[in-house]
Amino acid sequence: MNNQQQIFDQKIEKDISIEPKDWMPDAYRKTLIRQIGQHAHSEVVGMLPEGNWITRAPTLKRKAVLMAKVQDEAGHALYLYSAAETLGADRDDMMDKLIAGRMKYSSIFNYPTLSWADVAAIGWLVDGAAIVNQVALCRTSYGPYARAMVRVCKEESFHQRQGFEAMMQLANGTPEQKQLAQDAVNRFWWPALMMFGPSDDNSPNSAQSMQWKVKLFSNDDLRQKFVDNTVSQVLQLGLTVPDPDLKFNEDTGHYQFGEINWDEFFAILAGKGPCNHERIEARRKAWEGGKWVRDSAAVYAQKQQQQSQAQKVA
Ligand code: FAQ
């Protein structure tokens, strides 16, 4: 084993973070670009289902809160793309790969938001699931990713609470509003569970990622934590979990839940979900439509640099 590999292994063992200029195995770099890139794309694509409701939010207050939330998600994407760039990834290349279907984004954003209650459910359940995953990532072994996650989690935690509060208002409203809330839980419960990825025995990247401490908990462990955290919140709202097999196991202290529809999950990963095509089309249009802005910004930056060089010479 070479000396650089030994230093890397010792850092991982002692929980010393790996920083951009440190030596790292190529496969470690590659897995981080894959995961951070997917995470960044999820934040960007994740703006679409909620953005769909900005013009139709029920009150001015809800509209302002939703706009701020969607803007926060864009900010998360920027931290994450920057973290991927510290590993040598190129942002334009990542965007091209997303649009060409060669990079993934979270399965959850391929479902439509059919009612206002779906927006509340995303804030509460989707951000809730994202937090469970991301709190663990605050201690991931790659420094820039871990530090980005600290700030992201603070914001996601606010999103989760505002989503719960919006849901509570619906659940305590008219019978029709309560029904909208229940329908949203019925639609988003299982997809939220799928966000944690395939089961541990079917997760090709987990073993290596856990050895490198990129992932600190397995997909199934995090999924269980989310279920344990969230069932009582559903009940507190006076709603039900759409899972006839759900029951609390007194011996383990955990909720047991039914089988996830993995065919649905893998179909979505293969681009065959209800909104896959629409989401990628929206990203393609935005990326192509924004080209003139990127080009102008690049020319402006170049001019600024030339001016400051000229001033230095003078
Ligand atoms: N969707 O071997 P594993 C958010 C892929 S942020 C799509 O278990 P790994 C905030 C996986 O990439 C949500 N693909 O993989 C927000 C791999 O494919 P590959 C995003 C999935 O990486 C809220 C293959 O399956 N969060 O929501 C999914 O060890 C509201 C095999 O899987 C993150 O990205 C999936 N659900 O574990 C924004 C967190 N699951 O790359 C807007 C960071 C798996 O080999 C509004 N990521 N795949 O071709 C992670 O923690 C991990 O990457 C996992 C997957 C846990 C997602």
Side-chain angles (χ1 to χ4, degrees):
M1 193 188 293
N2 69 37
N3 193 29
Q4 287 175 317
Q5 178 76 50
Q6 261 173 358
I7 296 171
F8 173 85
D9 290 345
Q10 277 167 8
K11 282 190 175 169
I12 297 287
E13 198 192 318
K14 292 183 183 157
D15 295 329
I16 299 171
S17 64
I18 307 296
E19 295 299 332
K21 288 186 178 153
D22 292 346
W23 182 90
M24 60 187 85
D26 283 346
Y28 176 81
R29 187 184 297 278
K30 211 171 141 200
T31 215
L32 279 169
I33 292 176
R34 178 185 64 75
Q35 178 167 327
I36 300 172
Q38 177 194 302
H39 197 161
H41 290 329
S42 304
E43 302 283 355
V44 168
V45 179
M47 290 193 281
L48 296 169
E50 289 177 292
N52 180 31
W53 278 86
I54 289 177
T55 55
R56 294 179 287 162
T59 65
L60 184 60
K61 182 183 137 196
R62 292 283 179 212
K63 190 197 285 272
V65 171
L66 183 58
M67 278 170 70
K69 180 189 187 299
V70 170
Q71 211 170 351
D72 284 351
E73 308 299 357
H76 299 172
L78 293 181
Y79 314 149
L80 286 159
Y81 285 125
S82 300
E85 281 171 334
T86 65
L87 290 154
D90 176 74
R91 200 177 297 207
D92 288 8
D93 177 58
M94 287 190 281
M95 284 297 175
D96 289 342
K97 285 183 174 144
L98 170 71
I99 291 163
R102 288 191 288 124
M103 267 183 98
K104 295 188 170 74
Y105 59 91
S106 184
S107 50
I108 190 76
F109 302 118
N110 291 303
Y111 293 89
T113 37
L114 303 177
S115 76
W116 170 253
D118 288 5
V119 173
I122 291 183
W124 165 43
L125 294 175
V126 175
D127 285 79
I131 293 168
V132 170
N133 179 285
Q134 290 168 178
V135 163
L137 288 173
C138 291
R139 289 186 295 116
T140 188
S141 55
Y142 187 57
Y145 192 21
R147 290 190 287 275
M149 282 301 106
V150 173
R151 178 154 176 194
V152 167
C153 281
K154 286 186 184 152
E155 294 179 354
E156 299 290 36
S157 148
F158 181 76
H159 298 164
Q160 195 265 351
R161 280 163 215 199
Q162 71 80 26
F164 183 80
E165 194 269 333
M167 205 64 173
M168 194 161 60
Q169 199 165 5
L170 291 171
N172 292 327
T174 63
E176 289 81 6
Q177 286 173 325
K178 187 169 181 182
Q179 189 57 50
L180 280 180
Q182 183 63 59
D183 289 346
V185 174
N186 293 350
R187 277 197 300 279
F188 278 91
W189 177 259
W190 290 105
L193 263 56
M194 292 175 196
M195 284 174 71
F196 297 93
S199 55
D200 292 350
D201 54 7
N202 208 10
S203 162
N205 301 301
S206 276
Q208 182 60 80
S209 286
M210 288 184 76
Q211 206 183 335
W212 281 325
K213 297 186 183 167
V214 168
K215 282 166 86 165
L216 292 138
F217 299 94
S218 78
N219 297 357
D220 285 336
D221 284 351
L222 290 174
R223 189 172 5 253
Q224 183 67 57
K225 196 170 169 45
F226 172 73
V227 173
D228 289 342
N229 287 351
T230 316
V231 170
S232 61
Q233 296 171 16
V234 180
L235 302 180
Q236 203 186 333
L237 290 170
L239 302 175
T240 56
V241 177
D243 178 357
D245 297 322
L246 185 81
K247 61 170 187 261
F248 189 70
N249 185 324
E250 298 281 349
D251 297 333
T252 62
H254 295 293
Y255 278 97
Q256 276 171 229
F257 51 95
E259 180 67 14
I260 289 172
N261 183 344
W262 292 117
D263 290 343
E264 179 178 316
F265 173 75
F266 286 113
I268 287 186
L269 261 57
K272 294 179 194 135
C275 297
N276 287 64
H277 179 71
E278 189 183 327
R279 300 293 184 237
I280 291 296
E281 262 313 288
R283 285 312 312 150
R284 189 187 60 72
K285 261 177 85 178
W287 184 241
E288 287 171 5
K291 186 175 181 307
W292 69 270
V293 180
R294 295 192 298 280
D295 290 347
S296 314
V299 171
Y300 180 74
Q302 207 181 9
K303 286 239 162 85
Q304 293 284 94
Q305 207 179 8
Q306 279 166 356
Q307 258 174 20
S308 80
Q309 266 166 359
Q311 272 165 4
K312 267 189 212 152
V313 173

